[in-house]
Amino acid sequence: MDDNRPIAVFDSGLGGLTAVGALAELCPNEDLMYFGDTGRVPYGTRSRRTILRFSAQAARFLQSFGPKALVVACGTASTAAMETFEYPGVPAVGVVEPSVRRAAEATRNGRVGLLATPASVRTGAYSDVMGRIAPSVRLTEREGRLLVPLVEAGRVSPGDRVAEALVAEYCAPFLQAGVDTLILGCTHYPLLNTLFAAALPGVALIDAGAEAAAALRGLISRAEPNRIGKLRFFVSDDAEGFSEQAAMFLRRRITEPAEFVDLEEIL
Ligand code: DGL
């Protein structure tokens, strides 16, 4: 039976729009709703306790729309608070397992890198999953703390000396470890793809948000085939500035306005 309920996508900020872009392309007939906790981003440098609290509020907000499924595009929430998004009967997909699976398939030399936020790396979630599904793969994990503010400032272009220097510094341990595959385990990092490709020639780059979107597709009952899916955006800060900031992550113009929501107030 056709199921026109929306798919909900969560991120701590706007980076998860990269997953919305991937979903909109994969399933153009699905309604998508997005909540970016832009008033409280970043999550990736916070304690697990705070990440759990923020995530539980976001999950309750998203569930109030009766979605048929949920994508936790935020690497930090996927690793530190995935259980808060799991509601009976509503499949929830985070970024960890889909990206680890793809990396395990992609590697030829059995050496994979992971770059994610400090909070994500601290959980050990990626190595746990890798240990379970591909125990012979050696995972080199590093945090890329300065890359989120870099991307938020729009400093993502080749030729930007600060961006190139930071990416080179964060890539050095992966070059040293000889990885042939790197998981970009944070929503923001795929925007730096060109710089990563230059710093790590020949290394396969795995976009965790896009992998989560692809994994979800197999789990849902589809919407009616010939409809055009609607997009709805919610943020917890600066709804007016949303379309300009969001265009960078979605890689196209956004015509839908964002709606403001204060989770501390409503939950
Ligand atoms: N969305 C976060 C992630 O993917 C990055 C931004 C943050 O630190 O909140 O881990």
Side-chain angles (χ1 to χ4, degrees):
M1 209 175 69
D2 297 333
D3 184 346
N4 292 342
R5 288 178 298 162
I7 297 169
V9 182
F10 169 68
D11 183 35
S12 57
L14 296 182
L17 288 170
T18 52
V20 171
L23 268 176
E25 232 166 73
L26 286 170
C27 357
N29 57 328
E30 300 286 350
D31 287 352
L32 304 175
M33 62 159 303
Y34 180 82
F35 171 58
D37 200 357
T38 51
R40 304 192 292 194
V41 70
Y43 283 21
T45 46
R46 295 183 190 266
S47 68
R48 176 132 199 270
R49 188 192 170 94
T50 302
I51 297 165
L52 279 168
R53 183 164 63 85
F54 290 175
S55 298
Q57 289 175 330
R60 281 207 296 280
F61 173 68
L62 292 170
Q63 290 295 345
S64 71
F65 291 82
K68 65 178 167 190
L70 213 116
V71 178
V72 182
C74 178
T76 304
S78 295
T79 50
M82 194 59 207
E83 64 274 27
T84 60
F85 294 95
E86 277 153 7
Y87 278 62
V90 185
V93 175
V95 300
V96 180
E97 182 141 350
S99 57
V100 169
R101 280 194 188 282
R102 178 70 69 223
E105 279 162 21
T107 184
R108 295 282 158 262
N109 68 4
R111 291 177 193 188
V112 170
L114 165 75
L115 191 61
T117 65
S120 285
V121 171
R122 203 168 56 216
T123 64
Y126 286 88
S127 47
D128 288 351
V129 175
M130 191 64 92
R132 181 160 50 78
I133 65 178
S136 61
V137 169
R138 200 166 90 200
L139 188 67
T140 302
E141 300 177 85
R142 289 290 183 279
E143 53 104 332
R145 174 182 306 260
L146 296 176
L147 296 178
V148 167
L150 181 82
V151 171
E152 301 242 310
R155 306 280 298 263
V156 297
S157 305
D160 183 314
R161 282 162 53 190
V162 174
E164 285 181 348
L166 270 181
V167 168
E169 182 173 325
Y170 284 124
C171 286
F174 301 123
L175 282 173
Q176 209 175 3
V179 309
D180 68 355
T181 305
L182 176 66
I183 301 172
L184 300 175
C186 167
T187 47
H188 286 58
Y189 302 168
L191 276 101
L192 294 163
N193 252 342
T194 315
L195 299 184
F196 281 118
L200 296 169
V203 170
L205 300 173
I206 311 287
D207 175 340
E211 293 305 329
L216 180 91
R217 210 173 163 223
L219 296 177
I220 53 168
S221 42
R222 309 286 171 88
E224 279 166 65
N226 293 320
R227 68 198 290 276
I228 297 174
K230 289 192 282 297
L231 296 176
R232 237 178 129 182
F233 300 103
F234 296 87
V235 289
S236 54
D237 190 29
D238 192 18
E240 294 73 34
F242 172 78
S243 52
E244 201 183 308
Q245 298 155 4
M248 180 171 81
F249 289 97
L250 212 43
R251 296 188 182 103
R252 65 170 170 81
R253 265 192 66 226
I254 299 208
T255 46
E256 298 81 357
E259 298 164 59
F260 173 78
V261 54
D262 182 348
L263 295 189
E264 301 282 1
E265 217 161 74
I266 61 167
L267 296 167

